[in-house]
Amino acid sequence: MSANLKKILVVEDNPQNMRLVEMTLGAGNYVLLKATNGEEALEVVQREHPNLIIMDIRLPRLDGLEVTKRVRQWPDFRDVAIVVTTACAMKGDKERFVAAGCDAYLAKPFSIRALRKIIDGILREKKSK
Ligand code: MN
């Protein structure tokens, strides 16, 4: 396996949404990691050191906002890219997500193209830093 293959962690409790993201990213040159609740997400982050996290907000155990805040508190993970996805965004939510430490926000339902674009943009940006 190439050392610079990007690891993407998908945190999603809805199997259909998980499948959509898998199909979107399956064709790309990524290592896909999965978590279906907030606690599992934290475990996978510490164990696998992903380059990017696609984070659902409504999750069992810990919600995506709380997971994002905790990940940002760990010195090793201040730079990991976090893309929040949610279907229930209300006014002010985007600001809350950014305040919690996410890099980008994508409203559900999103197109495969929109997800691809956001991921490619973020990974390119991180690489050039
Ligand atoms: Mn959910």
Side-chain angles (χ1 to χ4, degrees):
M1 192 185 291
S2 161
N4 56 14
L5 213 52
K6 299 290 184 193
K7 286 185 181 178
I8 300 182
L9 167 60
V10 185
V11 187
E12 175 61 68
D13 62 325
N14 178 303
Q16 275 167 303
N17 289 343
M18 180 67 94
R19 215 169 304 129
L20 173 70
V21 177
E22 275 183 277
M23 285 191 306
T24 306
L25 302 179
N29 211 10
Y30 310 114
V31 177
L32 270 195
L33 309 162
K34 294 187 267 182
T36 56
N37 68 63
E39 284 177 4
E40 191 187 4
L42 290 172
E43 285 166 21
V44 176
V45 168
Q46 287 197 300
R47 193 178 62 229
E48 301 285 345
H49 289 244
N51 302 95
L52 188 149
I53 304 171
I54 298 169
M55 184 83 74
D56 183 26
I57 287 295
R58 288 194 177 176
L59 291 167
R61 315 236 181 152
L62 287 175
D63 72 26
L65 212 55
E66 189 57 36
V67 174
T68 300
K69 287 181 191 164
R70 293 195 191 188
V71 166
R72 287 298 184 229
Q73 283 167 4
W74 294 328
D76 282 0
F77 299 101
R78 287 210 181 112
D79 289 336
V80 61
I82 302 179
V83 179
V84 162
T85 63
T86 185
C88 54
M90 289 177 289
K91 203 167 184 287
D93 274 359
K94 194 177 175 184
E95 289 72 21
R96 282 200 305 135
F97 301 153
V98 171
C102 79
D103 296 273
Y105 157 73
L106 192 58
K108 285 180 187 169
F110 49 78
S111 67
I112 286 177
R113 207 178 147 172
L115 180 62
R116 265 252 160 87
K117 203 174 155 193
I118 217 162
I119 289 171
D120 289 346
I122 282 178
L123 290 177
R124 209 174 307 127
E125 200 179 292
K126 294 270 167 187
K127 196 162 57 181
S128 64
K129 262 185 196 166

